[in-house]
Amino acid sequence: MNLFDKLYDNNENVPVRFVGFTTKDTRYDFGIVYTNLFFGKPLVICMQTGRSTLLDPKDITDLNHLQHVFRIDSKEQAEDLAEFFSEAIPATPFQEQYE
């Protein structure tokens, strides 16, 4: 009996970056998976909380999104993350995912 319909099952050897840093108020530890899947958006994982999201340069400028995804309290913390991610997330063009 088929219990599910497989949507995709891909293996990929991709760069993964682990980075820890501190700001004035907070310590951050992230894993960033630079994948060709998900329309070219890197998968960003907070190693402290396990929260994750796909980010592209446009997402980085949305401070409310960063606050919501990583459950951070202040705009200042979101601005710090946006500054870091603007350097860590490449500006990649949209990639066609489905035919």
Side-chain angles (χ1 to χ4, degrees), residues 1 3-4 11 18 20 23 29 32 48-49 54 58-59 62 69 82-84 86 88-89 93 97:
M1 184 168 127
L3 297 177
F4 59 90
N11 290 314
F18 294 98
T23 63
D29 297 282
I32 304 171
Q48 296 168 328
T49 64
L54 298 168
K58 184 178 177 184
D59 299 323
D62 185 349
V69 168
E83 183 178 339
F84 167 73
S86 68
I89 304 298
Q97 189 75 38

Side-chain angles (χ1 to χ4, degrees), residues 7-82:
L7 299 176
Y8 60 91
D9 183 359
N10 297 356
N11 290 314
E12 209 180 11
N13 291 323
V14 297
V16 178
R17 177 180 178 191
F18 294 98
V19 61
F21 63 95
T22 60
T23 63
K24 185 176 75 171
D25 300 317
T26 309
R27 175 187 171 140
Y28 296 100
D29 297 282
F30 287 104
I32 304 171
V33 181
Y34 299 97
T35 177
N36 293 314
L37 297 173
F38 313 116
F39 307 103
K41 290 184 176 188
L43 174 63
V44 178
I45 305 118
C46 176
M47 303 304 288
Q48 296 168 328
T49 64
R51 293 182 187 100
S52 63
T53 191
L54 298 168
L55 287 180
D56 69 12
K58 184 178 177 184
D59 299 323
I60 294 167
T61 62
D62 185 349
L63 299 181
N64 290 328
H65 177 68
L66 292 177
Q67 279 187 273
H68 173 75
V69 168
F70 295 112
R71 294 187 186 167
I72 54 179
D73 298 325
S74 73
K75 286 278 189 207
E76 183 178 85
Q77 287 175 309
E79 289 169 352
D80 291 340
L81 283 183

Side-chain angles (χ1 to χ4, degrees), residues 85-96:
F85 288 136
S86 68
E87 296 174 12
I89 304 298
T92 57
F94 177 80
Q95 296 179 8
E96 189 66 39

